Amino acid sequence: MIKKLTESVYNVGAIDWGRTLFDEIVPTPQGTSYNAYIVFGKEKTALIDTVEPYKLDELKRNLEELNVKKIDYIISNHAEQDHSGSIPALLEMFPEAIVITNEKCKGFEMDLLHIPEEKFKVIKEGDTVKLGGKTLEFIFTPWVHWPETMSTYLIEDKILFSCDFFGSHVATSYTFAKYYDKVYHEAKRYYAEIMMPFRNFIEKNIKKVEAKEINIIAPSHGPAFDNPEYIINAYKEWIDPTPQNMVLIAFVSMHESTRKMVEYLADALVQKGVDVKIRNLTTGDVGEIAMDLVDVATIIIATPMVLAGAHPNAVYGAYLANVLRPKAKFAGIIGSFGWGGKAVDVIKANLSNLKVELLEPVFIKGDAKDKDLAKLDELAETIYQKHKEAGIIK
Ligand code: FEO
């Protein structure tokens, strides 16, 4: 499916309607797309990014439909294979083509794709390539998603080709985003799963791209934006360092004791005016949990004891929060055990990257009794007070 952005720019990438999992971890309930953009100058033609190799036929079909006989430049914004993986096949189809990218990306692509060094032209930040009436400028936007990732700016049409940055895993027939509630949800999911660990870099990268006048943001996943401020403002909201007055309770429960504690704590928090999200770590969608982590001020991991340690799914939940490095300021551990073990220590060890204050754990024997519920009341009060002291509750 070809999507026209302007008279000279078309999305000739592939739509992956049926993809349900990315990187073998990230659920993609709306599928995804690998956008590749062809830019026609008067003298030269450039292709910006490619597609997953198993979607090469779709890219080829789109190029044939547009009667593309020659590609002079393949601009590679990012070496991850969902965008770079078809470069070797395209170089066979268009042997005159040169791959334009930065030094770091060249190295990755020589390693990952075995592209010979002589096929590359290495550019530096701010360099331009002229196509005849169309000029591409390169803006280095590291860590959205990898350290080599860059964006390409088409000066005359004011289009920013941002690769993963501002993308979303959405398969859609629309060229430009519409139905904004859905767009917001999927872009946030993508931010949470892919971008959140690099929050500090995102702020710098937004400043860089905002220095340009932009009419269209064209990412390499999901729809393009003909109102760029929409997605830029959403990113600014997500990277804001102040979390919301909200607690994520991510739990596993085998025989209901831990679940009862989770529900009791949640009720106690809500009564104090603290919002709560409860997610089941065994059956929940990892992407939804990641999205909660974008906003919450406090993370509670709730686990039963299994084989003298925490439940493996609870360990996974803690590990996930640890690698996504959300802005949360507080964390706690609750749960129930039968005859002892090291569940609390295991969860603690898996939260070590988080810049959080660890609250006093509430780990109880068996099914909660009144004295245990009183400890959960205390925990709820502590969370409320901490949110207040941190200025999260105004
Ligand atoms: Fe869409 Fe980092 O690749």
Side-chain angles (χ1 to χ4, degrees), residues 22 78 80 82-83 145-146 163-164 169 190 194 220-221:
F22 204 88
H78 177 25
E80 193 167 9
D82 49 327
H83 310 293
H145 167 215
W146 284 0
C163 203
D164 282 345
H169 282 312
Y190 190 86
I194 310 286
S220 292
H221 296 291

Side-chain angles (χ1 to χ4, degrees), residues 72-350:
D72 301 283
Y73 306 124
I74 298 171
I75 313 294
S76 184
N77 280 329
H78 177 25
E80 193 167 9
Q81 294 91 326
D82 49 327
H83 310 293
S84 69
S86 292
I87 294 176
L90 282 162
L91 288 174
E92 281 181 23
M93 287 167 61
F94 301 98
E96 71 283 14
I98 294 291
V99 181
I100 295 184
T101 191
N102 58 68
E103 185 70 39
K104 205 171 269 180
C105 191
K106 179 187 89 170
F108 287 172
E109 290 179 349
M110 287 171 64
D111 288 340
L112 294 169
L113 304 168
H114 303 163
I115 300 173
E117 188 159 19
E118 61 271 19
K119 293 304 292 180
F120 288 94
K121 173 184 163 65
V122 171
I123 50 81
K124 295 196 176 60
E125 168 119 62
D127 281 359
T128 56
V129 167
K130 293 186 189 319
L131 307 178
K134 301 287 173 195
T135 315
L136 299 173
E137 181 182 347
F138 305 103
I139 305 169
F140 286 12
T141 45
W143 296 108
V144 290
H145 167 215
W146 284 0
E148 91 302 358
T149 309
M150 64 182 200
S151 297
T152 299
Y153 179 61
L154 175 55
I155 294 174
E156 292 78 7
D157 296 32
K158 300 182 173 58
I159 302 178
L160 181 78
F161 301 96
S162 57
C163 203
D164 282 345
F165 198 19
F166 304 122
S168 52
H169 282 312
V170 176
T172 176
S173 60
Y174 308 133
T175 303
F176 296 106
K178 50 182 174 176
Y179 305 117
Y180 279 95
D181 281 357
K182 281 195 169 178
V183 167
Y184 181 91
H185 187 270
E186 293 311 317
K188 185 174 183 180
R189 174 188 275 270
Y190 190 86
Y191 165 85
E193 292 161 341
I194 310 286
M195 301 284 165
M196 184 155 57
F198 311 115
R199 273 202 321 280
N200 297 336
F201 290 94
I202 289 175
E203 190 174 2
K204 289 179 203 147
N205 288 331
I206 286 177
K207 280 193 181 132
K208 266 192 191 179
V209 301
E210 272 193 320
K212 305 287 177 196
E213 196 182 332
I214 301 172
N215 286 349
I216 293 172
I217 289 182
S220 292
H221 296 291
F225 293 87
D226 54 6
N227 53 348
E229 65 284 356
Y230 178 84
I231 191 67
I232 291 175
N233 287 341
Y235 264 66
K236 285 181 181 172
E237 175 194 324
W238 301 329
I239 63 171
D240 188 308
T242 307
Q244 293 178 18
N245 177 29
M246 189 181 288
V247 176
L248 167 65
I249 310 179
F251 81 98
V252 183
S253 185
M254 296 191 302
H255 300 293
E256 296 299 305
S257 305
T258 303
R259 180 194 292 276
K260 283 186 209 165
M261 294 177 71
V262 165
E263 290 173 359
Y264 188 90
L265 176 63
D267 281 351
L269 287 164
V270 169
Q271 278 174 31
K272 292 176 188 301
V274 179
D275 290 334
V276 175
K277 290 274 182 78
I278 299 177
R279 299 285 184 192
N280 186 323
L281 284 165
T282 303
T283 57
D285 174 333
V286 170
E288 296 288 332
I289 295 170
M291 280 162 63
D292 296 337
L293 289 170
V294 174
D295 300 320
V296 299
T298 298
I299 303 163
I300 301 287
I301 302 290
T303 180
M305 189 77 76
V306 178
L307 299 174
H311 191 288
N313 292 357
V315 176
Y316 175 68
Y319 182 81
L320 184 73
N322 207 41
V323 294
L324 290 177
R325 281 177 271 155
K327 65 180 82 155
K329 294 185 179 303
F330 311 101
I333 303 162
I334 65 171
S336 159
F337 65 94
W339 57 86
K342 295 189 182 310
V344 169
D345 293 341
V346 172
I347 297 294
K348 261 189 201 169
N350 278 279

